[in-house]
């Protein structure tokens, strides 16, 4: 009888104990979570009830979100790989993207003027991608060798400050060389066409970017998971010293990591410029910061996590204002899209501090 | 005891801070032969008369600022870069076309006690924080391109008393744009986009008000950040409202993105896009590419045939000095702003027997506000709130995607009235 009573009271007692342990910060955090969930639910219901958008427009929101998400994901991969291997937040990565986009621009412009890009889209895009990837990879490798390697064993914030310095250096170098004006990226007719799927018009360039980005990311994932160098990368990410003792050339692994990151940055730069049609010296900063957020959201150091984080951020930016805020009657909701995206990012991190897919590394380093 | 000591220490700090503030705020003074409520600038014999300027000189909107700076430089060159026997030293800061840049530029200029008057800038976003900082030191600011209504509104704060401008107010521009959209484009529904800047936000509000008074309906009011790149979602939202016209007087980078991406949004095929004077720049053509052709902007009439009689000669000087035709539409207004400064200094400057020059700051401000002359951009005469230019309505259409063809009146071509 006494056992039964104590069993019956046990859950209640544990709740009471948990409640007693709550402090003011916990209460505020829970209130914040409930508020955000309340805004999301109420806004969504309001938007659905208003029925302002038709199905085609919702499909457009999703496609646009996936497009920018695919680009964020590709950029996030560079952050996450370098962090995994070196524990360095490479703030210059967004500028590797910018350098690739600029290099691609100088190929795309004459190809477009001559009509080659219009008549030979595959060859034209291939040439642009090759030049862009070569440029951003070269800059990434030079940055690693000249700026980051001397800081490899330096503790503290010096490597981070160095990364920020490299970012400024690259931006101002491109500004000095090519001016501060915004340059218009070519937009051939085949890129402006759309696919018809179940009656919905899907912009061809968006579909192309999403599909190619997923393919490139899948390729990168296979390289990291299935090749000897990828295995070495993962070993260095787990424990660099142990990996070196096992005969792995850490320098080679780091160079390979920057090579992969630079290549992804080059590809992202071309896609970014093709979709958003502008290049200028500061263009890498904002997507770089957002991609870093995506990498943290997915679980920094985790490759599938970076991809997932990128798509999540892109979708929230694109769909979030219309879905969550329009229904609440908030005017001009798209000026708040960064607020929504980063609020949700913070909420996810409050619930899962290690990010959506956690950080796959040795416990002692976590 | 300890608490008292702490209190006393805090009071001393406050006293020092107050003293510092007083010392760094313009105060009445008599220097040489001049007494002035706001202080006197003494320029030693042979020393330069220092004139400040702030414009956007980097980034996507450079043309707007650089064009103004060049206009002022030509005005100084026209008097041989000498005034009352002193050389002119023109110190220009980059305001980045935003509030932080304007604040920094104005603080740097205001920290130089020899700066007599300041010209610029190109953006209301920069002038809004800059003008009060300058006026706190008694420095008059003559702007050539910041058109936000609040800057010369009757209810403006006393901290803007030293601000005057040689460009028309957007009170008139907004009314003109609304009239064009409603009566010429026959639009009955309007969507608007601003970027949070004082210029865009205030112009959009004025246009919306006038459009509604004419009988139109505003069906969507949106905002973007000047650095936003992906405009597809906001344009999709606008498309859901099916507006006849999308009015978007934002700056170069965001406007180019809106213009190009609008072509990819289903539902906007029949929506006309109209921008503002912030896009009267060669750089906008470069940023927008082929999408710019057919795009309309509302802007005061600055086509060569409506300008002052010295304008053709000015154009030749501009081309000779900079190797290209004007890159925006604000050069003549800047020339007039510089002319106002020159005339006012000539009027109030007093030279002593040793050749030193004295300029009273309040007297200079009053002289600027009292000027009346036929300027390069049109008649100049200030009201008591510093509005010195009259408005001449016009709408332009871009006819070529080649940035080298930029000439106000030709590309963009004046299409109305």
């Amino acid at each position: 009888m006494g056992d039964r009573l104590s069993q019956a009271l046990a859950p209640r007692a544990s709740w009471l104990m948990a409640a007693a342990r709550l402090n003011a910060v916990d209460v505020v955090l829970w209130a914040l979570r409930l508020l955000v969930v309340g805004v999301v639910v109420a806004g969504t219901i309001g938007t659905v009830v208003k029925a302002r958008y038709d199905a085609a427009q919702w499909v457009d929101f999703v496609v646009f979100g996936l497009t920018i998400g695919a680009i964020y994901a590709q950029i996030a991969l560079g952050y996450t790989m370098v962090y995994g291997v070196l524990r360095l937040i490479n703030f210059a990565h967004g500028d590797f993207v910018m350098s690739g986009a600029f290099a691609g621009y100088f190929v795309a412009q004459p190809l477009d003027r001559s009509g080659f890009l219009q008549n030979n889209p595959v060859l034209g895009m291939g040439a642009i991608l090759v030049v862009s990837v070569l440029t951003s990879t070269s800059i990434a490798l030079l940055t690693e060798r000249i700026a980051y390697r001397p800081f490899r064993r330096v503790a503290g914030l010096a490597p981070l400050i160095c990364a920020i310095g490299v970012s400024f250096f690259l931006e101002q170098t491109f500004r000095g060389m090519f001016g501060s004006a915004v340059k218009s990226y070519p937009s051939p007719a085949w890129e402006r066409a759309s696919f018809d799927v179940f009656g919905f018009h899907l912009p061809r360039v968006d579909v192309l970017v999403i599909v190619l980005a997923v393919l490139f990311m899948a390729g990168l994932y296979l390289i990291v998971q299935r090749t000897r160098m990828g295995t070495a990368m993962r070993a260095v990410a787990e424990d660099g010293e142990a990996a070196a003792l096992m005969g792995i050339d850490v320098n080679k692994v780091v160079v390979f990591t920057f090579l992969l990151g630079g290549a992804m940055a080059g590809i992202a730069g071309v896609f970014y410029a093709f979709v958003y049609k502008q290049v200028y010296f500061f263009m890498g900063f904002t997507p770089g910061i957002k991609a870093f957020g995506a990498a943290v959201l997915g679980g920094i150091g985790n490759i599938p996590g970076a991809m997932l984080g990128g798509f999540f951020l892109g979708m929230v930016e694109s769909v979030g204002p219309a879905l969550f805020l329009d229904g609440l009657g908030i005017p001009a909701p798209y000026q708040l899209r960064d607020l929504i995206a980063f609020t949700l990012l913070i909420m996810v991190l409050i619930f899962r501090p290690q990010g959506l897919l956690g950080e796959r590394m040795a416990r002692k380093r976590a | 005891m300890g608490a008292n000591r702490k209190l006393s220490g805090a009071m001393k700090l406050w006293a020092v801070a107050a003293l510092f503030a007083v010392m760094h705020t313009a105060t009445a003074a008599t220097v040489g032969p001049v007494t002035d409520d706001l202080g006197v600038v003494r320029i030693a014999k042979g020393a330069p008369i220092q004139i400040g300027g702030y414009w956007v000189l980097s980034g996507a909107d450079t043309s707007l600022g650089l064009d103004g700076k060049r206009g002022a430089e030509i005005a100084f060159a026209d008097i041989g870069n000498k005034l009352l026997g002193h050389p002119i030293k023109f110190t220009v800061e980059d305001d980045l076309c935003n509030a932080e840049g304007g604040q920094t530029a104005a603080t740097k200029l205001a920290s130089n006690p020899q700066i007599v008057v300041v010209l610029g800038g190109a953006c209301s976003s920069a002038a809004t924080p800059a003008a009060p900082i300058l006026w706190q030191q008694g420095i008059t600011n003559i702007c050539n391109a910041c058109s936000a209504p609040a800057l010369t509104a009757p209810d403006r704060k006393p901290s803007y008393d030293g601000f005057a401008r040689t460009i028309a107010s957007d009170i008139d521009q907004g009314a003109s744009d609304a009239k064009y959209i409603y009566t010429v484009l026959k639009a009955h529904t309007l969507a608007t986009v601003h970027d949070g800047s004082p210029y865009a936000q205030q112009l959009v509000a004025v246009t919306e008000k006038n459009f509604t008074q004419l009988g139109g309906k505003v069906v969507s009011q949106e905002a973007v950040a000047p650095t936003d790149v992906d405009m597809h979602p906001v344009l999709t939202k606008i498309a859901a409202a099916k507006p006849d016209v999308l009015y978007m007087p934002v700056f170069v980078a965001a406007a180019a993105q809106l213009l190009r991406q609008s072509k990819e949004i289903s539902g906007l095929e029949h929506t006309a896009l109209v921008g503002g004077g912030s896009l009267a720049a060669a750089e906008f053509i470069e940023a927008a590419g082929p999408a710019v052709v057919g795009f309309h902007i509302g802007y005061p009439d600055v086509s060569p045939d409506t300008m002052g009689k010295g304008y053709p000669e000015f154009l030749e000087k501009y081309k000779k000095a900079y190797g290209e035709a004007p890159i925006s539409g604000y050069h003549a207004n800047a020339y007039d702003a510089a002319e106002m400064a020159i005339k006012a200094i000539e009027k109030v400057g007093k030279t002593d027997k040793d050749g030193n020059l004295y300029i009273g700051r309040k007297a200079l401000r009053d002289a600027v506000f009292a000027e009346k002359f036929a300027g390069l951009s049109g008649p100049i005469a200030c009201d008591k709130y510093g509005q010195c230019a009259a408005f001449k309505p016009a709408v332009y259409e871009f006819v070529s995607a080649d940035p080298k063809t930029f000439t106000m009146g030709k590309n963009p071509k004046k299409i109305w009235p």
Side-chain angles (χ1 to χ4, degrees), chain A residues 22 25-40 346-353:
Chain A
L22 278 180
V25 175
D26 292 329
V27 172
V28 170
L29 283 178
W30 273 106
L32 187 68
R33 290 167 193 170
L34 290 173
L35 179 72
V36 171
V37 172
V39 167
V40 166
I346 291 166
M347 296 316 295
V348 170
L349 293 178
I350 288 174
F351 284 110
R352 266 187 80 80

Coordinates of all heavy atoms in Angstrom, one line a residue, chain A residues 22 25-40 346-353:
Chain A
L22 N 14.0 25.4 -10.6 CA 14.0 26.5 -11.6 C 14.4 27.9 -11.1 O 14.0 28.2 -10.0 CB 12.5 26.7 -12.1 CG 12.0 25.8 -13.2 CD1 10.5 26.1 -13.5 CD2 12.8 25.9 -14.5
V25 N 16.4 32.7 -14.6 CA 16.8 32.6 -16.0 C 16.0 31.5 -16.7 O 15.6 31.7 -17.9 CB 18.3 32.3 -16.0 CG1 18.8 32.0 -17.5 CG2 19.1 33.4 -15.4
D26 N 15.8 30.4 -16.0 CA 15.0 29.3 -16.6 C 13.6 29.8 -16.9 O 13.1 29.5 -18.0 CB 14.9 28.1 -15.7 CG 16.3 27.4 -15.5 OD1 17.1 27.5 -16.5 OD2 16.6 27.0 -14.4
V27 N 13.0 30.5 -16.0 CA 11.7 31.0 -16.2 C 11.6 31.9 -17.5 O 10.7 31.8 -18.3 CB 11.2 31.8 -15.0 CG1 9.8 32.4 -15.3 CG2 11.0 30.8 -13.8
V28 N 12.6 32.8 -17.6 CA 12.6 33.7 -18.7 C 12.8 32.9 -20.0 O 12.1 33.2 -21.0 CB 13.8 34.8 -18.5 CG1 14.0 35.6 -19.8 CG2 13.5 35.7 -17.4
L29 N 13.7 32.0 -20.0 CA 14.0 31.2 -21.2 C 12.7 30.4 -21.6 O 12.4 30.3 -22.8 CB 15.1 30.2 -21.0 CG 16.5 30.8 -21.0 CD1 17.6 29.8 -20.7 CD2 16.8 31.5 -22.4
W30 N 12.0 29.8 -20.6 CA 10.8 29.1 -21.0 C 9.7 30.0 -21.5 O 9.0 29.7 -22.4 CB 10.3 28.3 -19.7 CG 10.9 27.0 -19.7 CD1 11.9 26.5 -18.8 CD2 10.7 25.8 -20.5 NE1 12.3 25.2 -19.1 CE2 11.5 24.8 -20.1 CE3 9.8 25.6 -21.6 CZ2 11.5 23.6 -20.8 CZ3 9.8 24.4 -22.2 CH2 10.7 23.4 -21.8
A31 N 9.7 31.2 -20.9 CA 8.7 32.2 -21.4 C 9.0 32.6 -22.8 O 8.1 32.7 -23.6 CB 8.7 33.4 -20.4
L32 N 10.3 32.8 -23.1 CA 10.7 33.1 -24.4 C 10.4 32.0 -25.4 O 9.8 32.3 -26.5 CB 12.3 33.4 -24.4 CG 12.9 33.9 -25.7 CD1 12.4 35.3 -25.9 CD2 14.4 33.9 -25.6
R33 N 10.6 30.8 -25.0 CA 10.3 29.7 -25.9 C 8.8 29.6 -26.2 O 8.4 29.5 -27.3 CB 10.7 28.3 -25.3 CG 12.2 28.1 -25.2 CD 12.5 27.0 -24.3 NE 13.9 27.0 -23.9 CZ 14.5 26.2 -23.0 NH1 13.8 25.4 -22.3 NH2 15.8 26.3 -22.8
L34 N 8.0 29.8 -25.1 CA 6.6 29.7 -25.3 C 6.1 30.9 -26.2 O 5.2 30.7 -27.0 CB 5.9 29.8 -23.9 CG 6.0 28.5 -23.1 CD1 5.5 28.7 -21.7 CD2 5.3 27.3 -23.8
L35 N 6.7 32.1 -26.0 CA 6.3 33.2 -26.8 C 6.6 33.0 -28.3 O 5.8 33.3 -29.1 CB 7.1 34.5 -26.3 CG 6.9 35.8 -27.1 CD1 5.5 36.3 -26.7 CD2 7.9 36.8 -26.8
V36 N 7.8 32.5 -28.6 CA 8.2 32.2 -30.0 C 7.2 31.2 -30.6 O 6.7 31.4 -31.7 CB 9.6 31.8 -30.1 CG1 9.9 31.3 -31.5 CG2 10.6 32.9 -29.7
V37 N 7.0 30.1 -29.8 CA 6.1 29.1 -30.3 C 4.7 29.7 -30.5 O 4.0 29.4 -31.5 CB 6.0 27.9 -29.3 CG1 4.9 26.9 -29.8 CG2 7.4 27.2 -29.3
G38 N 4.2 30.5 -29.6 CA 2.9 31.2 -29.7 C 2.8 32.0 -30.9 O 1.8 32.0 -31.6
V39 N 3.9 32.8 -31.2 CA 3.9 33.7 -32.4 C 3.9 32.9 -33.6 O 3.1 33.2 -34.6 CB 5.2 34.6 -32.4 CG1 5.4 35.3 -33.7 CG2 5.1 35.7 -31.3
V40 N 4.6 31.8 -33.7 CA 4.7 30.9 -34.9 C 3.3 30.3 -35.1 O 2.8 30.4 -36.2 CB 5.8 29.9 -34.7 CG1 5.6 28.8 -35.7 CG2 7.2 30.5 -34.8
I346 N 18.4 30.7 -32.6 CA 18.7 30.7 -31.2 C 17.8 29.8 -30.4 O 18.3 29.0 -29.5 CB 18.5 32.2 -30.6 CG1 19.6 33.1 -31.2 CG2 18.6 32.2 -29.1 CD1 19.4 34.6 -31.0
M347 N 16.5 29.7 -30.8 CA 15.6 28.8 -30.1 C 16.1 27.3 -30.3 O 16.1 26.6 -29.4 CB 14.2 28.9 -30.7 CG 13.5 30.2 -30.5 SD 13.7 30.9 -28.9 CE 12.9 29.8 -27.9
V348 N 16.5 27.0 -31.5 CA 17.0 25.6 -31.8 C 18.2 25.4 -30.9 O 18.3 24.3 -30.2 CB 17.3 25.4 -33.2 CG1 18.1 24.1 -33.4 CG2 16.1 25.4 -34.1
L349 N 19.1 26.3 -30.8 CA 20.3 26.1 -30.0 C 20.0 26.1 -28.5 O 20.8 25.5 -27.8 CB 21.4 27.2 -30.3 CG 21.9 27.1 -31.8 CD1 22.9 28.3 -32.0 CD2 22.6 25.8 -32.1
I350 N 18.9 26.8 -28.1 CA 18.6 26.7 -26.6 C 18.2 25.2 -26.3 O 18.5 24.6 -25.4 CB 17.5 27.7 -26.3 CG1 18.0 29.1 -26.3 CG2 16.9 27.3 -24.9 CD1 17.0 30.2 -26.1
F351 N 17.4 24.6 -27.3 CA 16.9 23.3 -27.1 C 18.0 22.3 -27.3 O 18.1 21.2 -26.7 CB 15.7 22.9 -28.0 CG 14.4 23.6 -27.5 CD1 13.8 24.6 -28.2 CD2 13.8 23.1 -26.4 CE1 12.6 25.2 -27.8 CE2 12.6 23.7 -25.9 CZ 12.0 24.7 -26.6
R352 N 18.8 22.5 -28.3 CA 19.9 21.6 -28.7 C 21.2 22.4 -28.9 O 21.6 22.8 -30.0 CB 19.6 20.9 -30.0 CG 18.9 19.5 -29.8 CD 18.8 18.8 -31.2 NE 20.0 18.2 -31.6 CZ 20.5 17.0 -31.2 NH1 19.7 16.3 -30.3 NH2 21.6 16.5 -31.6
P353 N 21.9 22.6 -27.8 CA 23.1 23.5 -27.9 C 24.2 22.9 -28.8 O 25.0 23.7 -29.4 CB 23.7 23.5 -26.4 CG 22.5 23.1 -25.6 CD 21.6 22.2 -26.4

